[in-house]
Amino acid sequence: MSDKIVLSTWPTPLEPMPRLARALGLGEGDLWVKRDDLTGLGGGGNKVRKLEWTVGGALAEGADTLVTTGAAQSNHARLTAAAGARLGLDVVLVFPGTPESATGGSGNLVLDGLFGARIFWAGDGEPSTLAQAAEDVCEQLRREGARPYLIPFGGSSSLGARGYVDGGNELLVQLPEVRQVVVAVGSGGTMAGLIGALGEERVLGVHCGAVSEPAAAVAGFAGGLTGRSVTPGALRIRTDQVGAGYGVLHEPVLEAMRAAATLEGIVLDPVYSGRAMAGLIQAVRDGDVRRGERTVFLHSGGLPGLFGHAQAVHRCVTALHGFNAV
């Protein structure tokens, strides 16, 4: 019996991107965008599909509190807070750093507070430290009489990846001739789920710097999901868009964000979807995305995170064009 719950309205739209396709030298009907930024709950984004399974698992276990980890501008944390608000569950978010390091309290942090989540600041940003802090938070909640459920970093697990088996199957109904899907790789669960629906050859991931070994992470989730051996070497993952590191603005990413915005009116974020678009553009130049083949860009959302990224905001504002009245 499935533990899945429904947190949005499906399917999300699939839209053509003809102007961007032409600018890249592709045919008008070659490039499409799967609008998983329009998933409705809490500002939208790809994590909603994962949360339908992970929060479903929490409810099945009788949990009354959701605990999860992420960066301070985590889209997953924001959507976990929104899911908790919808379902009447308490939410505790475990972030690295201190309140003083919280980028001015903007972007996703504003929505975390609006949804009523509590934040535990873990200090040292090492992944092992963050994971242990989350376990400690769960133990403290148990002592207080709560029933916490720990959702992993990014919502990524073989269970959460089922959300993108759903998403991949949804896409096959909308565009049966899809040749490949280009997707940001953060914690790895989204790409793993798409592989479960489409296979390794039809999924092109773009590493965003969130984990140290993206191929191993994706392969692990995909193997647990499909029940077959998925080797890291069989995966198509570009690693050329990380730049100076996760959360640091990479110039090709800003160029990709501007292209999507000025040619299609689509807003990308500088950490995930912007990197995925930069990877897609470079894949066209490398011949990995080709004219005459249907390519889908998975828009994973992340708009609130744009406003929490001071460098990207500054660059976008300074690019404003003035108008002189005559």
Side-chain angles (χ1 to χ4, degrees):
M1 180 175 172
S2 172
D3 291 329
K4 180 182 177 183
I5 59 172
V6 177
L7 292 172
S8 188
T9 301
W10 312 108
T12 55
L14 180 70
E15 301 172 352
M17 292 198 287
R19 297 191 68 230
L20 181 57
R22 287 198 303 270
L24 296 178
L26 301 174
E28 283 194 6
D30 290 347
L31 190 58
W32 298 73
V33 56
K34 177 67 168 161
R35 298 296 304 271
D36 273 15
D37 57 320
L38 301 180
T39 47
L41 178 74
N46 65 318
K47 304 299 185 179
V48 175
R49 291 191 190 269
K50 299 179 184 181
L51 286 164
E52 290 196 328
W53 288 93
T54 54
V55 177
L59 292 175
E61 292 188 13
D64 60 13
T65 306
L66 304 176
V67 178
T68 198
T69 66
Q73 286 297 331
S74 167
N75 296 306
H76 161 67
R78 180 244 308 167
L79 286 167
T80 301
R86 174 171 292 187
L87 298 168
L89 303 172
D90 290 337
V91 176
V92 180
L93 307 175
V94 181
F95 291 155
T98 64
E100 293 72 30
S101 66
T103 62
S106 58
N108 278 313
L109 282 167
V110 174
L111 297 179
D112 295 339
L114 188 62
F115 295 137
R118 291 181 288 166
I119 296 176
F120 178 84
W121 296 98
D124 188 339
E126 290 296 320
S128 59
T129 303
L130 201 61
Q132 185 58 56
E135 293 285 357
D136 293 344
V137 165
C138 288
E139 184 55 37
Q140 178 179 334
L141 288 166
R142 291 186 191 100
R143 289 196 299 268
E144 295 171 356
R147 299 185 302 277
Y149 183 94
L150 180 58
I151 298 176
F153 173 75
S156 289
S157 62
S158 294
L159 175 62
R162 293 187 190 182
Y164 269 92
V165 176
D166 297 338
N169 288 332
E170 186 179 289
L171 177 58
L172 286 171
V173 173
Q174 293 174 310
L175 192 68
E177 66 273 27
V178 59
R179 167 64 183 83
Q180 61 187 331
V181 179
V182 180
V183 59
V185 178
S187 50
T190 299
M191 183 175 180
L194 289 172
I195 287 170
L198 304 171
E200 289 91 327
E201 282 301 312
R202 285 204 280 182
V203 184
L204 175 60
V206 181
H207 178 37
C208 298
V211 296
S212 59
E213 298 183 13
V218 173
F221 296 140
L225 179 69
T226 62
R228 60 181 175 82
S229 177
V230 178
T231 60
L235 304 180
R236 300 171 62 216
I237 299 181
R238 300 188 68 99
T239 59
D240 56 349
Q241 299 304 325
V242 176
Y246 178 80
V248 180
L249 187 63
H250 184 43
E251 199 64 29
V253 173
L254 183 61
E255 294 170 6
M257 292 170 63
R258 286 173 173 160
T262 59
L263 294 172
E264 298 290 352
I266 290 177
V267 181
L268 306 177
D269 81 284
V271 178
Y272 293 106
S273 57
R275 277 189 167 92
M277 181 59 76
L280 186 155
I281 290 170
Q282 190 58 49
V284 173
R285 294 169 179 162
D286 294 347
D288 204 18
V289 171
R290 294 179 288 274
R291 185 181 181 91
E293 297 180 346
R294 299 290 187 267
T295 294
V296 173
F297 175 78
L298 180 76
H299 193 331
S300 56
L303 175 60
L306 169 60
F307 299 105
H309 197 294
Q311 188 181 8
V313 168
H314 174 72
R315 293 291 298 277
C316 291
V317 170
T318 54
L320 285 171
H321 302 286
F323 177 80
N324 296 320
V326 294

